[in-house]
Amino acid sequence: LIVLDGRPIAKRIRSDVKLAAEKFRHDGIIPTLAVVVPTNDGMADAYVRAIVKGAMACAVEARIIKLPQPSTTELIAKEINKLAEDDSVHGIILQTPLPEGTKIDDLAMLIPPAKDVDGVSPTSAGQTLFGQQAFAPATAEAVLAILEEYKIPLEGKHAVIVGRSRVVGKPVAHLLIEKHATVTISHSRTKDIRHFTKQAEVLVVAVGSPGLIKSKDISPDVVVIDVGINVTDSGELVGDVSPDVASVAAALTPVPGGVGPVTTAIILQHTITAVGLHLIR
Ligand code: NAD
């Protein structure tokens, strides 16, 4: 089994980011990522802490804006609009979960595509769908970055995705199609998931259900990317893929230490790209 370790990839991305960020700082520009946090949520807080830690390590400024509770569409929109106008802010993330009664559709479109470092706006999503230059969701790019790093062939391969969310399943499908894979997306209404996962040469699992995919669900030599992050009752961090998959698969991402660290590094990489976009505007 090849362990598709994300940490060395994240480390390399972060060191490139640091070099670029220090250059910008030398020119008086402080690369700045703003994170709007509209709810109190343990998982979200942990994710935000990981972003802050990563940013600090590579000379990117992370500005965390925790909104007063309970937050509303108006309050969140006001904050995003302020950040959109603010020339000292290069990247904007709207952290989920959103408060009850607010809709991502009313808010994501307020993030200008040039600052949309987690690829949530409809414009970014459309450009990604068309294979155009845009910020794709960082998690989806992280999946592709891992496949590229470990030189997993994609052209003509059957890639099966479990999960069809906007932030992972769908954008991963678009990025894999751009790499000439044949892509199947399965999800909660798929009648027989195993029928598809068995055919996978590359399997990307993004559901949020611990142990959903087991060794009996896959064929030998499949490359498995486990995007899931779940906290067990005992506080352990586990993916969507059961440990017994390691005895059948050719390669597998660990959880933690797989997609997660690459995702946060890519957010920072996007922030550096956003500084460049800001300069040419
Ligand atoms: P989501 O809840 O938005 O989407 C889950 C998807 O899984 C849905 O499309 C649903 O149709 C599908 N699904 C649900 N039950 C299923 C079943 N029994 N069989 C097949 N499909 C089923 O979740 P998300 O935001 O895409 O996140 C998925 C997982 O990835 C979560 O564990 C989340 O924590 C993790 N995640 C990790 C990162 C990272 O950086 N590693 C980033 C984002 C999300």
Side-chain angles (χ1 to χ4, degrees):
L1 175 85
I2 299 168
V3 177
L4 304 171
D5 192 350
R7 283 164 295 205
I9 306 172
K11 197 171 164 198
R12 202 185 52 235
I13 295 172
R14 281 198 306 266
S15 81
D16 289 349
V17 166
K18 187 169 185 221
L19 269 180
E22 279 167 350
K23 262 193 207 140
F24 281 131
R25 280 181 182 254
H26 185 259
D27 296 337
I29 300 161
I30 301 169
T32 301
L33 169 67
V35 185
V36 179
V37 186
T39 47
N40 282 320
D41 178 86
M43 279 287 267
D45 288 345
Y47 181 62
V48 172
R49 275 198 302 275
I51 290 179
V52 172
K53 194 174 154 211
M56 276 172 67
C58 46
V60 171
E61 173 110 354
R63 206 182 287 175
I64 309 304
I65 300 119
K66 188 116 192 178
L67 295 179
Q69 306 290 316
S71 204
T72 59
T73 301
E74 289 68 33
L75 272 176
I76 302 169
K78 198 172 151 207
E79 192 58 48
I80 294 176
N81 286 331
K82 205 163 83 189
L83 296 168
E85 294 288 313
D86 187 340
D87 277 342
S88 70
V89 170
H90 306 100
I92 303 172
I93 293 180
L94 173 58
Q95 183 60 46
T96 54
L98 298 182
E100 240 171 85
T102 63
K103 290 198 213 87
I104 187 77
D105 283 340
D106 297 332
L107 295 164
M109 64 181 187
L110 302 176
I111 303 176
K115 295 189 180 187
D116 185 19
V117 290
D118 203 13
V120 296
S121 85
T123 305
S124 308
Q127 286 170 333
T128 302
L129 170 63
F130 286 1
Q132 295 169 356
Q133 202 64 42
F135 292 123
T139 309
E141 270 191 29
V143 170
L144 271 288
I146 292 171
L147 292 169
E148 186 179 320
E149 173 75 16
Y150 289 91
K151 299 191 170 53
I152 309 298
L154 295 172
E155 188 168 337
K157 298 290 177 187
H158 188 188
V160 176
I161 301 166
V162 189
R164 58 170 163 183
S165 73
R166 272 190 202 186
V167 283
V168 197
K170 282 178 193 160
V172 165
H174 299 147
L175 296 175
L176 285 169
I177 291 168
E178 289 302 315
K179 297 288 179 194
H180 313 294
T182 302
V183 177
T184 299
I185 307 187
S186 62
H187 48 79
S188 54
R189 309 280 176 94
T190 301
K191 282 203 184 103
D192 180 6
I193 294 232
R194 193 191 299 173
H195 171 76
F196 299 101
T197 55
K198 275 267 185 200
Q199 295 175 41
E201 294 173 286
V202 173
L203 180 64
V204 180
V205 190
V207 173
S209 171
L212 178 76
I213 300 298
K214 302 192 168 50
S215 57
K216 62 177 170 44
D217 302 319
I218 59 168
S219 294
D221 300 331
V222 59
V223 173
V224 182
I225 308 287
D226 187 356
V227 183
I229 299 179
N230 311 287
V231 185
T232 63
D233 292 341
S234 57
E236 198 192 350
L237 222 53
V238 298
D240 289 345
V241 171
S242 158
D244 63 349
V245 161
S247 61
V248 178
L252 173 64
T253 54
V255 177
V259 178
V262 183
T263 299
T264 39
I266 284 178
I267 293 276
L268 299 171
Q269 186 186 55
H270 283 177
T271 304
I272 292 297
T273 306
V275 178
L277 291 174
H278 180 76
L279 291 177
I280 56 172
R281 267 210 309 274

